[in-house]
Amino acid sequence: MHRRQFLTGLGISLGGVTVGSSTRARTVITDTTAATADDRVDELLFDSSAGLLAAPRTDGGDPGFLPDAQIVAAAEPTATTVDRDGNDDTTAYPDGETIPLMAVDGSVVAFAAPFAPDDSDAGSYGNEDVLLNVFDAYADAGTIYWDDGHDQFYDRASHSAVAARADTAGHTVAATTDIADAVTREDAAAAVVTSPADPFSAAEQDALAAFAADGGLVVLMSQSDYKNYDATASLNDLADGIDTTIRFNDTQVTDDQHNAGAAFAPTTATFPSDDHASLLAARTDGTDDVTITADETYTVDVVRVTDGDTVDVRFRDGTTDTVRIVGIDTPETGQTTERVAEYEGITDAAALKARGDAATAYARDALGGQTVTLSFDAGGPARGDYGRLLGYLTLPDGTTYNRRAVADGVARVYASAFSQYDDYWAAEATARAAGDGLWELSDPTAIGGPDSRSVESLFFPDPVAVTGGQTVVTSADSTPLVTADAAARVAAVGGPLIDEGFEPAESDGAATNEGHDVSMFVAELIDCLAADGLSAPVLVDGGHGQFGSDAALSAEDVAYFQRFLEGWSPAGVDLDGVTTLPHDTGPALCHDDGTPAASALIVSSPTTAFTAAERRAVADFADAGGAVILIGSAADTDALARFAPLTDALDTTVGFTTTPVTDRTHNLGGDPTRPTTTALTEPAAVLGSNATSQ
C-alpha cells in the first residue's frame, strides 16, 4: 500500500463527522433541486477512470467532445490521459479541452469510472451522494435494475453500501441477468450498466433504447483501459444503440496533483455547469455533526466489511463512517493492483490476491455485525487519507482486531509509525517464522539476485550537495552527491534515490529509474561500511516523521529495495522499519551483548529531532560495526539541520549543505531537479569491500 494513500488530508469533514477542532459542517439538504454551489459535495473520486467523449455531431460543434452544458464533473486542469493498454486507441484531448468524467444526455447519465463500488473509497468522497441524487432526480419510485448479465466485475453485489443507502432513500436496487426483460417490467425505474465484458445483443439495445426514450434512467459506467479491463467497445456499442450522444474514451486519466494518493485515482472539484447543482448536492441524515477526538473511545456497530483492513461503522447517533484499521495491511482484492514486494519473500501475485479474499472473509467473521470499541492511536491523527478514520477495533472479548489479524498471519504490519509498532512487529515475526496465514507463501531464500553487480548510472530526486568524508558520487558538474566516512561507518546521500515511486512498475507513464542501479549502489555502500558486510537486516528509521513526509523515506516507501535485499545472498537480507531508538520489543540495532543486530540503519530527512538517548544508541551501533546511511533532500531543507546533532554523536565529517543540485542536461524525464550521473566510483574501490554478496 502507498503510505501517502494512508496519511494525508487531516481535518476533512465527511458524512457529518468532523475531526478535532474543525467546525466546518455540511448543510443539510432536504430539497436537492434547490442546491447551490455552497451545498455541493466537496470533491469526487474517479479511481481508475477513463474519459468521456461525444458521438460525431452535425450541428457544427467540435466533433468528439462534449459541451460544458452536458458535463457534470470534469478532471482538474492538471489531469492528462495515457493509453495504458498500449493499443493506440486513445482519443487525445486538445490543450484546453475539458476531460469529462460525468455527463448527462436526457435520461442517460454516464460516469467514466466505477463510481461507488465497495472496494474503493468513493464513499469517503461525494460519490455515493451524487449517485443517489441521480436516482432521486431521474428514477421514479420503483426498482433500479443492476445489470449482472454481461460478465461485469463491478456487479450489484460489489455495490452493497450505496445500495443500502439507496434503500434508505426509498429506492430498491436489484440485480438482473436479463436486462431486456427487467426494463419492460412495470416497476422498472432505472437500469445500471458497468463495464460489460460481453456485448449487448440487438434486442437488449432496443429494449434499453425504448426504456430511455420513455424517460427511464440509464446509468453507464466505464473504467480506465489499464490491462484492457474497460470493455469500451461494448459500452460504445450500447451507447450507439440507445441513441445517446455520450461515448467513452479508451484511455486512463491521471493527475499527479489532484488524486487520492496515486495519479491513477484522480479527484476533482471541477463542475463546469451550474445546471447540475442538484446532482452534486451533499446529502446528510439531518443529525448534528459529531466531533471525533483521538483521545476518546466510541462504541460503534460494524455495518459493512469492505476488506481485511477497512470497515464502515455506525455511531450511536446513527452517523456512519469508514475506518481504516490502523497498523495493518491486508492483500488487495478485486482489480486493485497489489505491490507484491511489500510482502517479504512472496512472489506469487495470484496466491497473494487469494489471501486478500481470505482476509476479507476473516474480517467479516470477526467483525461483521459486531458492536466494537473504536479508539485511536496515542499521539496520532484520528483521520487520514480519503478522510477515513484511523482506528483500533476492540472486540467484545477484549482482543484488538488489528493485532489479532497480524498474529494470525492475515495481515502484515503497516509501518506507519503508530505507537504499537514494536509489539505488532514482534507478532508478525512470530507468524512469519511459523509460516502462518499468508506467510505460508513466503520464501525469501527463493528470491533471485541481480544478474550484474556493477553500478554504472544513478539518479537522485531533489538532491542537495553533501560534504566531508570521501567522495563516492558526484553530479555531472562534480558536485558531491554521496560521501562516506569509512572509519565512522557513515555515509551521506544527497537524495532519496531508493524511493519506490520511481520504479518502472509504479510509473503510470512517468519517467522511471530504469537503467539506474540505485538498489545495487545502496546495498554496495552498506556492504562496504558495515563491519560484517551486508549480512543482517537493514533498518529504516520511521520514528522521526518520515512516514508523513514527502521528502523522506519510511519502510513503506522502499518495497523494491526490500525485494532487492531478499536476493542479495542465498539466505536473503530483511528490511524492517524501526520507530524506537533504542528499541524495546521491536527491531534492534544491537544485541544485548552489544554486537550489531543489523547491518545498517537508514535515516532520511527527519521532521523531528533525535533525543540524546537516540543519538547515543545510533553511535553505539556504528561503534559496534553497523553502517549508518543518512539521506537528505532539497524538498525539506529544514530537516537537514536535524542531522547535525546526530553526525556530531557519530563523530563523522560527512554532512549536508542546503544547496539543491540540478542538471538541465543530465536528468530523469527532462526534470532538472532529478539529475542523473555516471560520475561515480564503485563503493568498494573507495571504501574497501567485505564481499558478502553471492
Side-chain angles (χ1 to χ4, degrees), residues 632-653:
S633 172
D636 185 0
T637 54
D638 290 341
L640 299 174
R642 300 185 185 96
F643 282 115
L646 185 59
T647 55
D648 287 346
L650 289 164
D651 194 22
T652 181
T653 60

Side-chain angles (χ1 to χ4, degrees), residues 373-398:
T373 301
L374 170 65
S375 59
F376 305 97
D377 195 56
R383 211 180 278 277
D385 200 8
Y386 303 123
R388 297 177 300 185
L389 297 170
L390 307 177
Y392 297 98
L393 299 180
T394 302
L395 297 164
D397 65 3

